[in-house]
Amino acid sequence: LHTPMYFFLLNLSLLDLGTISTTVPKSISSSLWDTRAISYSGCAAQVFLLLFSLSAEFSLLTVMAYDRYVAICRPLHYGTLLGSRACVKMAAAAWGTGFLYALLHTANTFSIPLCEGNVVEQFFCEIPQILKLSCSHSYLREVAVIVVSICLAFGCFIFIVLSYVQIFTVVLRIPSEQGQHKAFSMCLPHLAVVSLFVSTATFAYLKPPSFSSPALDLVVAVLYSVVPPAVNPLIYSLKNKELKEALRKLI
């Protein structure tokens, strides 16, 4: 866990655990007790924690793309650019960015007056469903925040794409097939996690209104809030030799 890759994986696992813990336990308890009630403060806390986990995770995935870039494209500088202090600072920046974004977005969302009742058609407090209950004249303020959020997410996505363009350019120049296989096995788990995270979140928040229905909204919500954090450990475990060896010893 003291190497940069495993240090970032530890942080990613904690954020995945936070994402799952925010939505699933409350949903299970609601099913067991046959109730859909949640307090106003509980709903706000759920929105804040989910936004914090998801935004911090995407920031961390961006940092991990930089880690892969340095490991493959600038291996001789890896120890200098990604020392223990630098890794802690980058992880702290990812967590701090997620906290500030979640705080601002949650405060803005719950400052909007609600005119359409208090029934959220989802298994957790989801911002698009809350906005359906808001007054029409207050909706534009939240749209501005969402636009800024999309711009920030797009910036992180472009950084990840450019990092992998550089990575694949270097990998394809490696003369040995074994070296190429080792480099690809190092990057593919991260690329798979990023692809799953971005595709599900994009479809959830940018799908056309004509595609909206209670059943589809439920499926999409599960896809971006439950599936990625549940599948991420499996993706890294299957692709990582050290993790498979540790699991074999444990068994």
Side-chain angles (χ1 to χ4, degrees), residues 112-163:
I112 297 175
L114 304 180
C115 304
E116 304 295 332
N118 59 352
V119 179
V120 178
E121 297 294 338
Q122 193 54 271
F123 71 96
F124 65 96
C125 288
E126 187 184 34
I127 287 182
Q129 299 297 327
I130 295 173
L131 292 181
K132 290 181 180 180
L133 308 177
S134 65
C135 303
S136 58
H137 65 275
S138 303
Y139 190 83
L140 292 178
R141 188 173 62 184
E142 180 66 15
V143 170
V145 175
I146 293 175
V147 170
V148 172
S149 304
I150 292 174
C151 292
L152 293 174
F154 186 72
C156 291
F157 178 73
I158 291 298
F159 180 87
I160 294 172
V161 170
L162 292 178
S163 297

mmCIF file of all heavy atoms in Angstrom, residues 112-163:
data_model
loop_
_atom_site.group_PDB
_atom_site.id
_atom_site.type_symbol
_atom_site.label_atom_id
_atom_site.label_comp_id
_atom_site.label_asym_id
_atom_site.label_seq_id
_atom_site.Cartn_x
_atom_site.Cartn_y
_atom_site.Cartn_z
ATOM 1 N N ILE A 112 -33.388 25.941 -3.134
ATOM 2 C CA ILE A 112 -34.470 26.169 -4.093
ATOM 3 C C ILE A 112 -35.795 25.751 -3.462
ATOM 4 O O ILE A 112 -35.919 24.635 -2.954
ATOM 5 C CB ILE A 112 -34.215 25.368 -5.382
ATOM 6 C CG1 ILE A 112 -32.936 25.846 -6.061
ATOM 7 C CG2 ILE A 112 -35.397 25.478 -6.335
ATOM 8 C CD1 ILE A 112 -32.545 25.024 -7.274
ATOM 9 N N PRO A 113 -36.807 26.619 -3.474
ATOM 10 C CA PRO A 113 -38.111 26.243 -2.901
ATOM 11 C C PRO A 113 -38.799 25.170 -3.731
ATOM 12 O O PRO A 113 -38.668 25.126 -4.957
ATOM 13 C CB PRO A 113 -38.901 27.561 -2.939
ATOM 14 C CG PRO A 113 -38.234 28.384 -3.985
ATOM 15 C CD PRO A 113 -36.789 28.006 -3.966
ATOM 16 N N LEU A 114 -39.512 24.292 -3.046
ATOM 17 C CA LEU A 114 -40.222 23.197 -3.703
ATOM 18 C C LEU A 114 -41.712 23.537 -3.785
ATOM 19 O O LEU A 114 -42.320 23.920 -2.791
ATOM 20 C CB LEU A 114 -40.016 21.888 -2.928
ATOM 21 C CG LEU A 114 -38.566 21.466 -2.692
ATOM 22 C CD1 LEU A 114 -38.510 20.155 -1.916
ATOM 23 C CD2 LEU A 114 -37.810 21.339 -4.002
ATOM 24 N N CYS A 115 -42.269 23.383 -4.989
ATOM 25 C CA CYS A 115 -43.675 23.729 -5.217
ATOM 26 C C CYS A 115 -44.517 22.534 -5.643
ATOM 27 O O CYS A 115 -45.737 22.651 -5.758
ATOM 28 C CB CYS A 115 -43.787 24.812 -6.290
ATOM 29 S SG CYS A 115 -42.851 26.308 -5.961
ATOM 30 N N GLU A 116 -43.895 21.416 -5.908
ATOM 31 C CA GLU A 116 -44.607 20.276 -6.493
ATOM 32 C C GLU A 116 -44.689 19.083 -5.542
ATOM 33 O O GLU A 116 -44.651 17.934 -5.975
ATOM 34 C CB GLU A 116 -43.907 19.846 -7.800
ATOM 35 C CG GLU A 116 -43.757 20.942 -8.831
ATOM 36 C CD GLU A 116 -45.099 21.423 -9.367
ATOM 37 O OE1 GLU A 116 -46.046 20.613 -9.368
ATOM 38 O OE2 GLU A 116 -45.192 22.589 -9.782
ATOM 39 N N GLY A 117 -44.786 19.338 -4.252
ATOM 40 C CA GLY A 117 -44.916 18.234 -3.306
ATOM 41 C C GLY A 117 -43.574 17.801 -2.744
ATOM 42 O O GLY A 117 -42.561 18.486 -2.877
ATOM 43 N N ASN A 118 -43.571 16.628 -2.110
ATOM 44 C CA ASN A 118 -42.351 16.149 -1.453
ATOM 45 C C ASN A 118 -42.100 14.663 -1.733
ATOM 46 O O ASN A 118 -41.481 13.969 -0.926
ATOM 47 C CB ASN A 118 -42.445 16.376 0.051
ATOM 48 C CG ASN A 118 -43.636 15.651 0.669
ATOM 49 O OD1 ASN A 118 -44.463 15.095 -0.044
ATOM 50 N ND2 ASN A 118 -43.707 15.650 1.987
ATOM 51 N N VAL A 119 -42.552 14.176 -2.876
ATOM 52 C CA VAL A 119 -42.385 12.767 -3.230
ATOM 53 C C VAL A 119 -41.288 12.647 -4.296
ATOM 54 O O VAL A 119 -41.439 13.152 -5.409
ATOM 55 C CB VAL A 119 -43.701 12.154 -3.763
ATOM 56 C CG1 VAL A 119 -43.475 10.694 -4.146
ATOM 57 C CG2 VAL A 119 -44.790 12.266 -2.714
ATOM 58 N N VAL A 120 -40.178 12.007 -3.938
ATOM 59 C CA VAL A 120 -39.062 11.792 -4.864
ATOM 60 C C VAL A 120 -39.213 10.407 -5.482
ATOM 61 O O VAL A 120 -39.193 9.400 -4.773
ATOM 62 C CB VAL A 120 -37.705 11.909 -4.134
ATOM 63 C CG1 VAL A 120 -36.551 11.642 -5.094
ATOM 64 C CG2 VAL A 120 -37.569 13.283 -3.504
ATOM 65 N N GLU A 121 -39.352 10.358 -6.803
ATOM 66 C CA GLU A 121 -39.584 9.088 -7.492
ATOM 67 C C GLU A 121 -38.260 8.374 -7.770
ATOM 68 O O GLU A 121 -37.833 8.235 -8.922
ATOM 69 C CB GLU A 121 -40.345 9.331 -8.802
ATOM 70 C CG GLU A 121 -41.733 9.908 -8.632
ATOM 71 C CD GLU A 121 -42.682 8.937 -7.948
ATOM 72 O OE1 GLU A 121 -42.411 7.714 -7.977
ATOM 73 O OE2 GLU A 121 -43.686 9.403 -7.375
ATOM 74 N N GLN A 122 -37.601 7.940 -6.688
ATOM 75 C CA GLN A 122 -36.322 7.247 -6.820
ATOM 76 C C GLN A 122 -36.050 6.520 -5.510
ATOM 77 O O GLN A 122 -36.681 6.821 -4.483
ATOM 78 C CB GLN A 122 -35.208 8.244 -7.138
ATOM 79 C CG GLN A 122 -33.893 7.652 -7.592
ATOM 80 C CD GLN A 122 -34.049 6.717 -8.782
ATOM 81 O OE1 GLN A 122 -34.279 5.526 -8.582
ATOM 82 N NE2 GLN A 122 -33.937 7.237 -9.992
ATOM 83 N N PHE A 123 -35.104 5.549 -5.519
ATOM 84 C CA PHE A 123 -34.829 4.817 -4.283
ATOM 85 C C PHE A 123 -33.840 5.553 -3.385
ATOM 86 O O PHE A 123 -33.495 5.070 -2.307
ATOM 87 C CB PHE A 123 -34.329 3.399 -4.591
ATOM 88 C CG PHE A 123 -32.932 3.334 -5.160
ATOM 89 C CD1 PHE A 123 -31.843 3.106 -4.334
ATOM 90 C CD2 PHE A 123 -32.719 3.472 -6.520
ATOM 91 C CE1 PHE A 123 -30.563 3.041 -4.852
ATOM 92 C CE2 PHE A 123 -31.437 3.394 -7.045
ATOM 93 C CZ PHE A 123 -30.355 3.181 -6.208
ATOM 94 N N PHE A 124 -33.392 6.743 -3.811
ATOM 95 C CA PHE A 124 -32.596 7.623 -2.962
ATOM 96 C C PHE A 124 -32.847 9.054 -3.423
ATOM 97 O O PHE A 124 -33.496 9.286 -4.451
ATOM 98 C CB PHE A 124 -31.100 7.276 -3.030
ATOM 99 C CG PHE A 124 -30.476 7.505 -4.376
ATOM 100 C CD1 PHE A 124 -29.807 8.677 -4.660
ATOM 101 C CD2 PHE A 124 -30.552 6.527 -5.363
ATOM 102 C CE1 PHE A 124 -29.225 8.888 -5.902
ATOM 103 C CE2 PHE A 124 -29.969 6.724 -6.612
ATOM 104 C CZ PHE A 124 -29.311 7.911 -6.880
ATOM 105 N N CYS A 125 -32.381 10.029 -2.654
ATOM 106 C CA CYS A 125 -32.586 11.441 -3.007
ATOM 107 C C CYS A 125 -31.632 11.813 -4.147
ATOM 108 O O CYS A 125 -30.440 12.026 -3.920
ATOM 109 C CB CYS A 125 -32.345 12.330 -1.789
ATOM 110 S SG CYS A 125 -33.637 12.216 -0.554
ATOM 111 N N GLU A 126 -32.171 11.902 -5.337
ATOM 112 C CA GLU A 126 -31.383 12.204 -6.533
ATOM 113 C C GLU A 126 -31.703 13.616 -6.994
ATOM 114 O O GLU A 126 -32.877 14.022 -7.023
ATOM 115 C CB GLU A 126 -31.706 11.192 -7.635
ATOM 116 C CG GLU A 126 -30.817 11.313 -8.851
ATOM 117 C CD GLU A 126 -31.254 10.360 -9.952
ATOM 118 O OE1 GLU A 126 -32.473 10.125 -10.078
ATOM 119 O OE2 GLU A 126 -30.394 9.861 -10.687
ATOM 120 N N ILE A 127 -30.683 14.372 -7.372
ATOM 121 C CA ILE A 127 -30.881 15.780 -7.717
ATOM 122 C C ILE A 127 -31.876 15.979 -8.863
ATOM 123 O O ILE A 127 -32.757 16.834 -8.770
ATOM 124 C CB ILE A 127 -29.524 16.444 -8.025
ATOM 125 C CG1 ILE A 127 -28.746 16.638 -6.723
ATOM 126 C CG2 ILE A 127 -29.717 17.794 -8.718
ATOM 127 C CD1 ILE A 127 -27.410 17.320 -6.877
ATOM 128 N N PRO A 128 -31.787 15.250 -9.990
ATOM 129 C CA PRO A 128 -32.788 15.460 -11.050
ATOM 130 C C PRO A 128 -34.225 15.260 -10.567
ATOM 131 O O PRO A 128 -35.129 15.983 -11.000
ATOM 132 C CB PRO A 128 -32.401 14.407 -12.105
ATOM 133 C CG PRO A 128 -30.954 14.180 -11.894
ATOM 134 C CD PRO A 128 -30.753 14.287 -10.419
ATOM 135 N N GLN A 129 -34.432 14.285 -9.670
ATOM 136 C CA GLN A 129 -35.780 14.054 -9.151
ATOM 137 C C GLN A 129 -36.215 15.175 -8.207
ATOM 138 O O GLN A 129 -37.389 15.555 -8.178
ATOM 139 C CB GLN A 129 -35.833 12.711 -8.424
ATOM 140 C CG GLN A 129 -35.509 11.512 -9.296
ATOM 141 C CD GLN A 129 -36.516 11.332 -10.421
ATOM 142 O OE1 GLN A 129 -37.685 11.636 -10.271
ATOM 143 N NE2 GLN A 129 -36.049 10.818 -11.551
ATOM 144 N N ILE A 130 -35.283 15.730 -7.446
ATOM 145 C CA ILE A 130 -35.601 16.856 -6.560
ATOM 146 C C ILE A 130 -35.939 18.092 -7.375
ATOM 147 O O ILE A 130 -36.856 18.858 -7.036
ATOM 148 C CB ILE A 130 -34.426 17.127 -5.600
ATOM 149 C CG1 ILE A 130 -34.219 15.934 -4.663
ATOM 150 C CG2 ILE A 130 -34.665 18.393 -4.786
ATOM 151 C CD1 ILE A 130 -32.990 16.045 -3.789
ATOM 152 N N LEU A 131 -35.213 18.291 -8.484
ATOM 153 C CA LEU A 131 -35.469 19.470 -9.316
ATOM 154 C C LEU A 131 -36.849 19.423 -9.959
ATOM 155 O O LEU A 131 -37.420 20.473 -10.277
ATOM 156 C CB LEU A 131 -34.392 19.578 -10.410
ATOM 157 C CG LEU A 131 -32.972 19.895 -9.923
ATOM 158 C CD1 LEU A 131 -32.024 19.999 -11.093
ATOM 159 C CD2 LEU A 131 -32.958 21.170 -9.110
ATOM 160 N N LYS A 132 -37.390 18.228 -10.151
ATOM 161 C CA LYS A 132 -38.745 18.125 -10.694
ATOM 162 C C LYS A 132 -39.783 18.695 -9.741
ATOM 163 O O LYS A 132 -40.886 19.053 -10.155
ATOM 164 C CB LYS A 132 -39.079 16.659 -11.004
ATOM 165 C CG LYS A 132 -38.313 16.077 -12.176
ATOM 166 C CD LYS A 132 -38.722 14.636 -12.421
ATOM 167 C CE LYS A 132 -37.952 14.044 -13.604
ATOM 168 N NZ LYS A 132 -38.343 12.623 -13.858
ATOM 169 N N LEU A 133 -39.421 18.794 -8.458
ATOM 170 C CA LEU A 133 -40.330 19.332 -7.456
ATOM 171 C C LEU A 133 -40.137 20.827 -7.229
ATOM 172 O O LEU A 133 -40.888 21.435 -6.468
ATOM 173 C CB LEU A 133 -40.133 18.604 -6.118
ATOM 174 C CG LEU A 133 -40.192 17.075 -6.136
ATOM 175 C CD1 LEU A 133 -39.901 16.531 -4.752
ATOM 176 C CD2 LEU A 133 -41.541 16.594 -6.632
ATOM 177 N N SER A 134 -39.131 21.432 -7.878
ATOM 178 C CA SER A 134 -38.791 22.826 -7.602
ATOM 179 C C SER A 134 -39.715 23.772 -8.347
ATOM 180 O O SER A 134 -40.390 23.400 -9.318
ATOM 181 C CB SER A 134 -37.338 23.103 -8.004
ATOM 182 O OG SER A 134 -37.186 22.964 -9.402
ATOM 183 N N CYS A 135 -39.732 25.025 -7.879
ATOM 184 C CA CYS A 135 -40.490 26.074 -8.563
ATOM 185 C C CYS A 135 -39.790 26.426 -9.877
ATOM 186 O O CYS A 135 -38.557 26.470 -9.953
ATOM 187 C CB CYS A 135 -40.573 27.309 -7.682
ATOM 188 S SG CYS A 135 -41.319 26.989 -6.058
ATOM 189 N N SER A 136 -40.550 26.683 -10.895
ATOM 190 C CA SER A 136 -39.988 26.882 -12.237
ATOM 191 C C SER A 136 -39.033 28.072 -12.297
ATOM 192 O O SER A 136 -38.017 28.022 -12.990
ATOM 193 C CB SER A 136 -41.113 27.071 -13.250
ATOM 194 O OG SER A 136 -41.930 28.173 -12.878
ATOM 195 N N HIS A 137 -39.320 29.172 -11.556
ATOM 196 C CA HIS A 137 -38.463 30.353 -11.644
ATOM 197 C C HIS A 137 -37.127 30.158 -10.935
ATOM 198 O O HIS A 137 -36.198 30.934 -11.120
ATOM 199 C CB HIS A 137 -39.181 31.565 -11.050
ATOM 200 C CG HIS A 137 -39.451 31.433 -9.583
ATOM 201 N ND1 HIS A 137 -40.565 30.776 -9.087
ATOM 202 C CD2 HIS A 137 -38.752 31.867 -8.497
ATOM 203 C CE1 HIS A 137 -40.555 30.816 -7.769
ATOM 204 N NE2 HIS A 137 -39.459 31.464 -7.378
ATOM 205 N N SER A 138 -37.022 29.124 -10.100
ATOM 206 C CA SER A 138 -35.772 28.865 -9.379
ATOM 207 C C SER A 138 -34.912 27.806 -10.060
ATOM 208 O O SER A 138 -33.793 27.550 -9.638
ATOM 209 C CB SER A 138 -36.079 28.406 -7.948
ATOM 210 O OG SER A 138 -36.862 29.359 -7.283
ATOM 211 N N TYR A 139 -35.431 27.210 -11.113
ATOM 212 C CA TYR A 139 -34.762 26.077 -11.737
ATOM 213 C C TYR A 139 -33.488 26.504 -12.465
ATOM 214 O O TYR A 139 -32.509 25.756 -12.527
ATOM 215 C CB TYR A 139 -35.733 25.416 -12.707
ATOM 216 C CG TYR A 139 -35.270 24.096 -13.264
ATOM 217 C CD1 TYR A 139 -35.448 22.919 -12.547
ATOM 218 C CD2 TYR A 139 -34.645 24.026 -14.502
ATOM 219 C CE1 TYR A 139 -35.023 21.704 -13.055
ATOM 220 C CE2 TYR A 139 -34.218 22.817 -15.012
ATOM 221 C CZ TYR A 139 -34.410 21.657 -14.288
ATOM 222 O OH TYR A 139 -33.986 20.455 -14.786
ATOM 223 N N LEU A 140 -33.479 27.722 -13.028
ATOM 224 C CA LEU A 140 -32.352 28.158 -13.849
ATOM 225 C C LEU A 140 -31.064 28.270 -13.046
ATOM 226 O O LEU A 140 -29.979 28.041 -13.572
ATOM 227 C CB LEU A 140 -32.674 29.502 -14.505
ATOM 228 C CG LEU A 140 -33.778 29.470 -15.570
ATOM 229 C CD1 LEU A 140 -34.038 30.875 -16.098
ATOM 230 C CD2 LEU A 140 -33.390 28.537 -16.714
ATOM 231 N N ARG A 141 -31.156 28.602 -11.767
ATOM 232 C CA ARG A 141 -29.956 28.714 -10.926
ATOM 233 C C ARG A 141 -29.255 27.366 -10.790
ATOM 234 O O ARG A 141 -28.030 27.279 -10.842
ATOM 235 C CB ARG A 141 -30.353 29.249 -9.554
ATOM 236 C CG ARG A 141 -29.170 29.584 -8.663
ATOM 237 C CD ARG A 141 -29.636 30.270 -7.400
ATOM 238 N NE ARG A 141 -30.518 29.419 -6.614
ATOM 239 C CZ ARG A 141 -31.118 29.822 -5.506
ATOM 240 N NH1 ARG A 141 -30.961 31.069 -5.076
ATOM 241 N NH2 ARG A 141 -31.894 28.996 -4.826
ATOM 242 N N GLU A 142 -30.030 26.303 -10.663
ATOM 243 C CA GLU A 142 -29.449 24.968 -10.570
ATOM 244 C C GLU A 142 -28.887 24.532 -11.914
ATOM 245 O O GLU A 142 -27.862 23.849 -11.973
ATOM 246 C CB GLU A 142 -30.514 23.981 -10.095
ATOM 247 C CG GLU A 142 -30.017 22.553 -9.963
ATOM 248 C CD GLU A 142 -28.981 22.377 -8.867
ATOM 249 O OE1 GLU A 142 -28.845 23.279 -8.008
ATOM 250 O OE2 GLU A 142 -28.283 21.349 -8.862
ATOM 251 N N VAL A 143 -29.526 24.937 -12.995
ATOM 252 C CA VAL A 143 -29.015 24.609 -14.328
ATOM 253 C C VAL A 143 -27.621 25.200 -14.520
ATOM 254 O O VAL A 143 -26.732 24.561 -15.095
ATOM 255 C CB VAL A 143 -29.978 25.123 -15.422
ATOM 256 C CG1 VAL A 143 -29.346 25.008 -16.803
ATOM 257 C CG2 VAL A 143 -31.288 24.356 -15.379
ATOM 258 N N ALA A 144 -27.405 26.418 -14.039
ATOM 259 C CA ALA A 144 -26.085 27.054 -14.142
ATOM 260 C C ALA A 144 -25.032 26.242 -13.400
ATOM 261 O O ALA A 144 -23.912 26.046 -13.894
ATOM 262 C CB ALA A 144 -26.143 28.476 -13.599
ATOM 263 N N VAL A 145 -25.372 25.739 -12.220
ATOM 264 C CA VAL A 145 -24.435 24.915 -11.451
ATOM 265 C C VAL A 145 -24.134 23.614 -12.204
ATOM 266 O O VAL A 145 -22.994 23.154 -12.241
ATOM 267 C CB VAL A 145 -25.014 24.610 -10.057
ATOM 268 C CG1 VAL A 145 -24.099 23.657 -9.292
ATOM 269 C CG2 VAL A 145 -25.188 25.889 -9.267
ATOM 270 N N ILE A 146 -25.161 23.022 -12.804
ATOM 271 C CA ILE A 146 -24.969 21.779 -13.551
ATOM 272 C C ILE A 146 -24.061 22.009 -14.763
ATOM 273 O O ILE A 146 -23.202 21.181 -15.089
ATOM 274 C CB ILE A 146 -26.322 21.196 -13.980
ATOM 275 C CG1 ILE A 146 -27.108 20.732 -12.745
ATOM 276 C CG2 ILE A 146 -26.139 20.038 -14.955
ATOM 277 C CD1 ILE A 146 -28.501 20.252 -13.041
ATOM 278 N N VAL A 147 -24.234 23.160 -15.436
ATOM 279 C CA VAL A 147 -23.378 23.480 -16.586
ATOM 280 C C VAL A 147 -21.919 23.599 -16.154
ATOM 281 O O VAL A 147 -21.003 23.082 -16.816
ATOM 282 C CB VAL A 147 -23.858 24.772 -17.270
ATOM 283 C CG1 VAL A 147 -22.839 25.247 -18.306
ATOM 284 C CG2 VAL A 147 -25.210 24.550 -17.936
ATOM 285 N N VAL A 148 -21.680 24.285 -15.032
ATOM 286 C CA VAL A 148 -20.314 24.404 -14.502
ATOM 287 C C VAL A 148 -19.767 23.020 -14.154
ATOM 288 O O VAL A 148 -18.595 22.708 -14.417
ATOM 289 C CB VAL A 148 -20.294 25.327 -13.280
ATOM 290 C CG1 VAL A 148 -18.928 25.311 -12.608
ATOM 291 C CG2 VAL A 148 -20.662 26.751 -13.668
ATOM 292 N N SER A 149 -20.608 22.171 -13.569
ATOM 293 C CA SER A 149 -20.186 20.819 -13.211
ATOM 294 C C SER A 149 -19.773 20.026 -14.445
ATOM 295 O O SER A 149 -18.761 19.315 -14.437
ATOM 296 C CB SER A 149 -21.326 20.093 -12.482
ATOM 297 O OG SER A 149 -21.760 20.815 -11.364
ATOM 298 N N ILE A 150 -20.570 20.152 -15.508
ATOM 299 C CA ILE A 150 -20.259 19.446 -16.756
ATOM 300 C C ILE A 150 -18.938 19.933 -17.331
ATOM 301 O O ILE A 150 -18.121 19.142 -17.815
ATOM 302 C CB ILE A 150 -21.406 19.618 -17.765
ATOM 303 C CG1 ILE A 150 -22.667 18.878 -17.273
ATOM 304 C CG2 ILE A 150 -21.006 19.104 -19.138
ATOM 305 C CD1 ILE A 150 -23.884 19.124 -18.130
ATOM 306 N N CYS A 151 -18.692 21.238 -17.255
ATOM 307 C CA CYS A 151 -17.431 21.787 -17.772
ATOM 308 C C CYS A 151 -16.233 21.241 -16.997
ATOM 309 O O CYS A 151 -15.205 20.869 -17.591
ATOM 310 C CB CYS A 151 -17.459 23.311 -17.706
ATOM 311 S SG CYS A 151 -18.637 24.082 -18.834
ATOM 312 N N LEU A 152 -16.351 21.195 -15.664
ATOM 313 C CA LEU A 152 -15.260 20.661 -14.848
ATOM 314 C C LEU A 152 -15.031 19.174 -15.136
ATOM 315 O O LEU A 152 -13.890 18.722 -15.266
ATOM 316 C CB LEU A 152 -15.575 20.859 -13.362
ATOM 317 C CG LEU A 152 -15.599 22.313 -12.875
ATOM 318 C CD1 LEU A 152 -16.064 22.368 -11.424
ATOM 319 C CD2 LEU A 152 -14.224 22.957 -13.025
ATOM 320 N N ALA A 153 -16.133 18.419 -15.230
ATOM 321 C CA ALA A 153 -16.011 16.991 -15.530
ATOM 322 C C ALA A 153 -15.412 16.778 -16.909
ATOM 323 O O ALA A 153 -14.595 15.863 -17.104
ATOM 324 C CB ALA A 153 -17.376 16.325 -15.432
ATOM 325 N N PHE A 154 -15.796 17.628 -17.864
ATOM 326 C CA PHE A 154 -15.255 17.505 -19.229
ATOM 327 C C PHE A 154 -13.763 17.798 -19.237
ATOM 328 O O PHE A 154 -12.998 17.158 -19.967
ATOM 329 C CB PHE A 154 -16.000 18.465 -20.159
ATOM 330 C CG PHE A 154 -15.625 18.314 -21.606
ATOM 331 C CD1 PHE A 154 -16.043 17.197 -22.333
ATOM 332 C CD2 PHE A 154 -14.861 19.274 -22.245
ATOM 333 C CE1 PHE A 154 -15.699 17.058 -23.665
ATOM 334 C CE2 PHE A 154 -14.518 19.144 -23.577
ATOM 335 C CZ PHE A 154 -14.938 18.029 -24.299
ATOM 336 N N GLY A 155 -13.332 18.774 -18.416
ATOM 337 C CA GLY A 155 -11.901 19.067 -18.322
ATOM 338 C C GLY A 155 -11.111 17.875 -17.807
ATOM 339 O O GLY A 155 -10.041 17.540 -18.333
ATOM 340 N N CYS A 156 -11.636 17.205 -16.756
ATOM 341 C CA CYS A 156 -10.981 15.999 -16.230
ATOM 342 C C CYS A 156 -10.963 14.892 -17.282
ATOM 343 O O CYS A 156 -9.957 14.187 -17.436
ATOM 344 C CB CYS A 156 -11.701 15.516 -14.976
ATOM 345 S SG CYS A 156 -11.525 16.605 -13.543
ATOM 346 N N PHE A 157 -12.069 14.750 -18.002
ATOM 347 C CA PHE A 157 -12.154 13.715 -19.027
ATOM 348 C C PHE A 157 -11.137 13.951 -20.145
ATOM 349 O O PHE A 157 -10.471 13.019 -20.599
ATOM 350 C CB PHE A 157 -13.575 13.679 -19.594
ATOM 351 C CG PHE A 157 -13.771 12.674 -20.691
ATOM 352 C CD1 PHE A 157 -13.809 11.313 -20.413
ATOM 353 C CD2 PHE A 157 -13.919 13.092 -22.002
ATOM 354 C CE1 PHE A 157 -13.984 10.382 -21.433
ATOM 355 C CE2 PHE A 157 -14.096 12.176 -23.022
ATOM 356 C CZ PHE A 157 -14.129 10.816 -22.742
ATOM 357 N N ILE A 158 -10.990 15.202 -20.569
ATOM 358 C CA ILE A 158 -10.014 15.528 -21.617
ATOM 359 C C ILE A 158 -8.597 15.234 -21.129
ATOM 360 O O ILE A 158 -7.757 14.705 -21.885
ATOM 361 C CB ILE A 158 -10.142 17.010 -22.033
ATOM 362 C CG1 ILE A 158 -11.455 17.242 -22.775
ATOM 363 C CG2 ILE A 158 -8.963 17.434 -22.909
ATOM 364 C CD1 ILE A 158 -11.592 16.454 -24.063
ATOM 365 N N PHE A 159 -8.309 15.535 -19.862
ATOM 366 C CA PHE A 159 -6.986 15.232 -19.296
ATOM 367 C C PHE A 159 -6.720 13.730 -19.338
ATOM 368 O O PHE A 159 -5.614 13.295 -19.694
ATOM 369 C CB PHE A 159 -6.910 15.754 -17.859
ATOM 370 C CG PHE A 159 -5.589 15.499 -17.194
ATOM 371 C CD1 PHE A 159 -4.546 16.402 -17.338
ATOM 372 C CD2 PHE A 159 -5.374 14.356 -16.427
ATOM 373 C CE1 PHE A 159 -3.319 16.163 -16.732
ATOM 374 C CE2 PHE A 159 -4.157 14.121 -15.824
ATOM 375 C CZ PHE A 159 -3.123 15.030 -15.978
ATOM 376 N N ILE A 160 -7.725 12.925 -18.981
ATOM 377 C CA ILE A 160 -7.571 11.466 -19.007
ATOM 378 C C ILE A 160 -7.335 10.980 -20.426
ATOM 379 O O ILE A 160 -6.459 10.140 -20.686
ATOM 380 C CB ILE A 160 -8.799 10.780 -18.387
ATOM 381 C CG1 ILE A 160 -8.888 11.101 -16.897
ATOM 382 C CG2 ILE A 160 -8.743 9.268 -18.591
ATOM 383 C CD1 ILE A 160 -10.168 10.620 -16.238
ATOM 384 N N VAL A 161 -8.109 11.506 -21.382
ATOM 385 C CA VAL A 161 -7.972 11.092 -22.782
ATOM 386 C C VAL A 161 -6.583 11.441 -23.315
ATOM 387 O O VAL A 161 -5.914 10.606 -23.951
ATOM 388 C CB VAL A 161 -9.062 11.748 -23.647
ATOM 389 C CG1 VAL A 161 -8.777 11.523 -25.136
ATOM 390 C CG2 VAL A 161 -10.432 11.187 -23.297
ATOM 391 N N LEU A 162 -6.125 12.663 -23.060
ATOM 392 C CA LEU A 162 -4.801 13.073 -23.533
ATOM 393 C C LEU A 162 -3.700 12.240 -22.887
ATOM 394 O O LEU A 162 -2.704 11.895 -23.547
ATOM 395 C CB LEU A 162 -4.581 14.556 -23.240
ATOM 396 C CG LEU A 162 -5.454 15.539 -24.028
ATOM 397 C CD1 LEU A 162 -5.175 16.973 -23.599
ATOM 398 C CD2 LEU A 162 -5.216 15.385 -25.528
ATOM 399 N N SER A 163 -3.874 11.887 -21.618
ATOM 400 C CA SER A 163 -2.884 11.036 -20.941
ATOM 401 C C SER A 163 -2.783 9.686 -21.631
ATOM 402 O O SER A 163 -1.682 9.176 -21.874
ATOM 403 C CB SER A 163 -3.265 10.857 -19.468
ATOM 404 O OG SER A 163 -3.258 12.083 -18.780
#
